[in-house]
Amino acid sequence: MKPANSVFSSYGTTVFEVMSRLAIEHDSINLGQGFPDVDGPEELRRIAADAVIAGPNQYPPMMGLPELRRAVADHEKRFYGLNVDGGREVMVTSGATEALADCLFGLIDPGDEIVLFEPLYDCYLPIVRRAGGVPRLVRLVPPDWHIDEAALQAAFSEKTKLVLINNPLNPAGKVFGRGELERIAELVIAHDAYAVCDEVYEHIVFDGRPHIPMITLPGMRERALKIGSAGKSFSFTGWKVGYITAAEALLAPVAKAHQFVTFTTAPNLQRAAAAGLALGDDYFAALSGDLEAKRDRLATGLSSLGFDVMPCAGTYFITADITPLGLGEDDVEVCRRLTVEAKVTPVPASAFYQDDPPRRYVRFCFSKRDEILAAALERLGDYLTAR
Ligand code: PMP
Ligand code: GLN
């Protein structure tokens, strides 16, 4: 039989699925795959449930329900002072994943160069490559994950079509500073390129830092596509409702991809997401405040067990260096052993690199109930002292 598509065939099953299955098999506390263990606001769930009963349950408009597009526009104004026309500059997608696929399929032609930052979210490279893009990777430098200026400059060329940036950054927990974002924007503009901005963790930023959307920087209003996710902002990762904010002319080719990929998204969930975006400031403050406390709880606990915990300024992930634990040199094997033997599951950070990854980092998700985090720390403590 003829082989299937060579790009997708070259990848195994995603690390999130693999580690979640392993965690279930070994009755392990799953701090691997990123999802909260408590669902988001009941009032939003009720809106979604009522909307199924009330209907309509037929195809919503391709670009999204007008009320959600309006809500996204109001949200961009409220949080970032950005004037957005919801009827022309917002498109609803089935999660940020579909939004990313639409942007990449809609903008990339074979041979275009795509600048990305490593470590990177696992779906980026397969989609870029399937779209015919040529990845140009800029490796962020730990422990603060700063950008090496020479590497950044070297990644750009006359073939650069776009930069794909995730801010706040999964898995590293980095929040890019204004200076870094401005430098990237400068290069994007100088190369007449675009910026696809995965900002799904826009409301999960800690220690009073602001989230700075790339689209708000000078010269970027026409060049940036800002991607958000109701899964992250309202703790409904299973809903898969995302949204893109971009200038009308830039959104148009992306909508062409969307119409052939999913065309639309469940209408009841769109309605609930619209209500979510209109929640009061107290909701958003509590989301980041609660997660900040969980970050501190897990970071302190892991440090006291001997993990070398890296700073986390946003997202719900902590990256830790396993070297001091003496558990081995290979993150994949250490994550497997922690799952099977300690019954706590992180994910290996090498999964977030293309080639020659560092093997010393693992990622823990802390969007879990406090008693779960406490139990995970206790299990890790028992395991490490028993060795
Ligand atoms: N981008 C990043 C950086 C993520 O961490 C995730 C997932 N959790 C996504 C995109 C996908 O979001 P969604 O579930 O809305 O497709
Ligand atoms: N974004 C989530 C994470 O980083 C997982 C999403 C998925 O399982 N595809 O863990």
Side-chain angles (χ1 to χ4, degrees), residues 95-97 100 121 124 166 170 198 200-201 229 232 237 240-241:
T97 310
L100 286 158
Y121 184 56
Y124 289 6
N166 174 214
N170 174 12
D198 177 348
V200 297
Y201 298 102
S229 168
K232 307 293 156 175
T237 59
K240 303 299 286 188
V241 177

Side-chain angles (χ1 to χ4, degrees), residues 16 34-35 94-100 121 123-124 166-171 198-201 227-232 236-242 315-317 363:
F16 307 119
F35 61 90
S94 295
T97 310
E98 196 230 328
L100 286 158
Y121 184 56
C123 75
Y124 289 6
N166 174 214
N167 181 36
L169 178 69
N170 174 12
D198 177 348
E199 301 183 7
V200 297
Y201 298 102
I227 297 173
S229 168
K232 307 293 156 175
F236 296 122
T237 59
W239 281 15
K240 303 299 286 188
V241 177
T315 76
Y316 39 56
F317 304 111
R363 189 197 78 174

